[in-house]
Amino acid sequence: MLNLERTYELEMKRETGMKDEFGKTYRKMPNGKTLKDALESYFITMNREKAEHIKTEVNLEGFLNSYKGSVMKAEYIKEFKRRIG
């Protein structure tokens, strides 16, 4: 699960153009791992029926289509700043 969190955090830093501790801007990487990639890797570890049930139950497709939208980016930045201080 930590892999999912780190992947999400890095992807969102790239999406929002945040800067690292040295002031360098995170940039999008060609073929960089995304949250979708990490989730697919997670679902591969379980049987197909269970994975499909979970994907349907949580509306994974809807989430994947919205988590990088402008509203969610703003929420990410707000929460990131709250946690950092």
Side-chain angles (χ1 to χ4, degrees):
M1 289 310 227
L2 189 56
N3 180 44
L4 292 171
E5 180 184 352
R6 288 178 177 162
T7 301
Y8 171 71
E9 185 175 322
L10 183 56
E11 182 179 12
M12 291 305 285
K13 285 179 177 179
R14 290 174 176 158
E15 285 289 323
T16 59
M18 294 178 111
K19 296 185 185 296
D20 66 13
E21 60 271 14
F22 304 108
K24 186 175 178 183
T25 302
Y26 287 97
R27 296 181 310 162
K28 293 183 184 179
M29 301 293 290
N31 301 319
K33 189 171 185 179
T34 64
L35 181 60
K36 182 179 180 181
D37 297 330
L39 286 167
E40 287 174 359
S41 295
Y42 175 73
F43 285 120
I44 286 172
T45 65
M46 60 184 73
N47 70 50
R48 182 173 291 180
E49 294 81 24
K50 182 177 182 178
E52 289 303 318
H53 175 74
I54 293 170
K55 289 176 185 180
T56 303
E57 190 73 21
V58 300
N59 188 14
L60 182 62
E61 188 174 330
F63 170 74
L64 291 174
N65 289 330
S66 66
Y67 82 99
K68 290 193 287 184
S70 60
V71 172
M72 295 306 286
K73 282 182 186 178
E75 283 297 313
Y76 173 80
I77 292 169
K78 179 178 153 186
E79 181 64 17
F80 185 82
K81 287 181 179 178
R82 184 187 69 80
R83 290 180 184 209
I84 297 296

